[in-house]
Amino acid sequence: MTDIVKGVLKAVGAVLILGSAPAVFAEDLMELTPMSADQLEGSSGRQGVPLQWQLNETEQNAMVTGNVLSGHSVTGDNMITDQAFSNMSGIATVIQNTGNQVVIQDSTQVNILINH
């Protein structure tokens, strides 16, 4: 990897760790030298990355109490069609609710490993 790419990765990693991301503009990235095919091939599939153990924990404690549902209650259909995710890319979260008085909690953890 070039020193420029290493510098950018270190800066991005520091920003992610610190949680305060300054604006990054596409023009800033245009000055970087692209990696060669050999460099890309050598870095694919986590080659050379030692085994790492990682534990992620999340705690969610929502409650639904004291709610009253009376009378006729109609909820909608809950369907996902066969093409619902056909053009999806990146990280997606799908939550479906099939009833009334439901607490839905969701947690997504994204781990980025940058070795240099």
Side-chain angles (χ1 to χ4, degrees), residues 19-36:
S20 58
V24 176
F25 299 99
E27 294 83 17
D28 299 335
L29 301 176
M30 295 302 292
E31 298 175 10
L32 298 177
T33 304
M35 293 176 73
S36 69

Side-chain angles (χ1 to χ4, degrees), residues 13-79:
V15 167
L16 290 172
I17 290 169
L18 297 175
S20 58
V24 176
F25 299 99
E27 294 83 17
D28 299 335
L29 301 176
M30 295 302 292
E31 298 175 10
L32 298 177
T33 304
M35 293 176 73
S36 69
D38 290 337
Q39 288 173 315
L40 287 172
E41 184 177 319
S43 65
S44 67
R46 292 179 49 120
Q47 291 177 346
V49 177
L51 177 65
Q52 295 189 4
W53 177 259
Q54 183 170 317
L55 175 65
N56 297 316
E57 295 182 24
T58 183
E59 185 175 325
Q60 299 176 0
N61 298 307
M63 288 188 291
V64 176
T65 59
N67 291 345
V68 175
L69 182 64
S70 60
H72 181 69
S73 174
V74 178
T75 59
D77 292 337
N78 191 353
M79 291 188 278

Side-chain angles (χ1 to χ4, degrees), residues 2 12-13 23-24 45 61 70 73 90 93-94 98 100 103-104 115:
T2 66
V12 169
V24 176
N61 298 307
S70 60
S73 174
T93 300
V94 178
T98 60
N100 298 304
V103 168
I104 297 175
N115 286 341

